Structure formats: structure tokens, C-alpha cells
Amino acid sequence: MLFCVIDVRRCPNGALYSSISDMAVFMSAIQPGSEVGLLSKESIAAMTTAQVNTADAVATSAAVDGPPGQAKNSYGFGTMVNELPGESTVVGHGGAVAGYNAWFGFEIQTGYGIIICRSYSPGTTQLGAVATKLLRQIAAHN
């Protein structure tokens, strides 16, 4: 039997673990107009506003519906900011540790949010793309 010991001090992702409840509180705390009180309005604005354009990244909407270039992907402070032209802006962040990955995000215009967790290595499914598609479907039905 093969065992692998991972020194978490050397993991680039920080080897962070969280619960869905904690992720939901954090997601609520960084939405514009949040009354959670965790961060200042200025910090929330910096996190939910494009700071650095990621032109080389695969567009979230492209992974779901069409060719690259449909979405403008950017980094906010600690988040990904995906502007879907003529539709919405989705702010989120994902992460992974050995065997598990997760993604949370919310649509600024509607305030709808989603958290996806799975106990599976990254594979080919892009959680951010799946979550964005679900957010768009939820918004269309409400």
C-alpha cells in the first residue's frame, strides 16, 4: 500500500478547510451592501471590482456556452470577477486540496449565490463555469 504524506506548510493553497456554512457567511459578507459587518465598504468594493484583467484565462461563460472572449475575467482582491456582457457580473473564488475542491460565487445584480463542493480531484469540470450557468438559470426563472 502506498501512502503519501503532504507537508501542508508547503502547499500553495494554504491547505485551508471550511464548511459550507462558513463559506455562505463569507459570501454574504463580501456582497456589495452587505450588513454582515466583516469588512468595510471599501474592502468589499475592492474585492468585487476588477483590479487586474486576466485576458489569458478561459472565460467562464466560454467554458459553458461559447467561444473564448465572451466574458471579461479579472481578479478582484482575493476573488475572480467575471463580467458577462449584457448579462451580469459573477464574483467568486475556488480552491482545492488533495481529493477535494470547492467554488463559491454570487451574481452582483441579483445577489443570488451558489456553493459547489465535491470530493473529487479537479478533473475536467470547471466548477466556476457550472456555478455561473446555474446562477444564470436561477436568475432567469425568478
Side-chain angles (χ1 to χ4, degrees):
M1 190 177 287
L2 178 65
F3 289 94
C4 178
V5 177
I6 299 172
D7 183 351
V8 296
R9 296 171 295 170
R10 296 173 192 245
C11 290
N13 62 9
L16 299 175
Y17 289 86
S18 185
S19 68
I20 292 174
S21 296
D22 286 346
M23 291 172 73
V25 169
F26 183 72
M27 182 171 54
S28 295
I30 67 169
Q31 289 195 22
S34 172
E35 295 183 14
V36 174
L38 182 65
L39 299 168
S40 69
K41 290 179 182 179
E42 294 80 16
S43 292
I44 293 171
M47 292 180 78
T48 58
T49 303
Q51 305 292 329
V52 176
N53 188 12
T54 58
D56 294 332
V58 174
T60 300
S61 65
V64 176
D65 293 324
Q70 281 188 319
K72 178 183 174 192
N73 290 332
S74 305
Y75 289 118
F77 284 170
T79 61
M80 294 298 298
V81 179
N82 300 307
E83 299 173 50
L84 306 168
E87 295 181 42
S88 63
T89 300
V90 175
V91 175
H93 194 284
V97 293
Y100 302 92
N101 55 26
W103 191 90
F104 81 87
F106 61 91
E107 194 175 60
I108 288 181
Q109 290 76 1
T110 64
Y112 294 135
I114 192 165
I115 298 169
I116 298 179
C117 301
R118 69 177 175 185
S119 55
Y120 180 71
S121 294
T124 59
T125 303
Q126 296 179 0
L127 294 183
V130 171
T132 298
K133 184 174 183 177
L134 289 171
L135 283 170
R136 292 161 72 189
Q137 290 174 348
I138 290 168
H141 291 308
N142 289 315

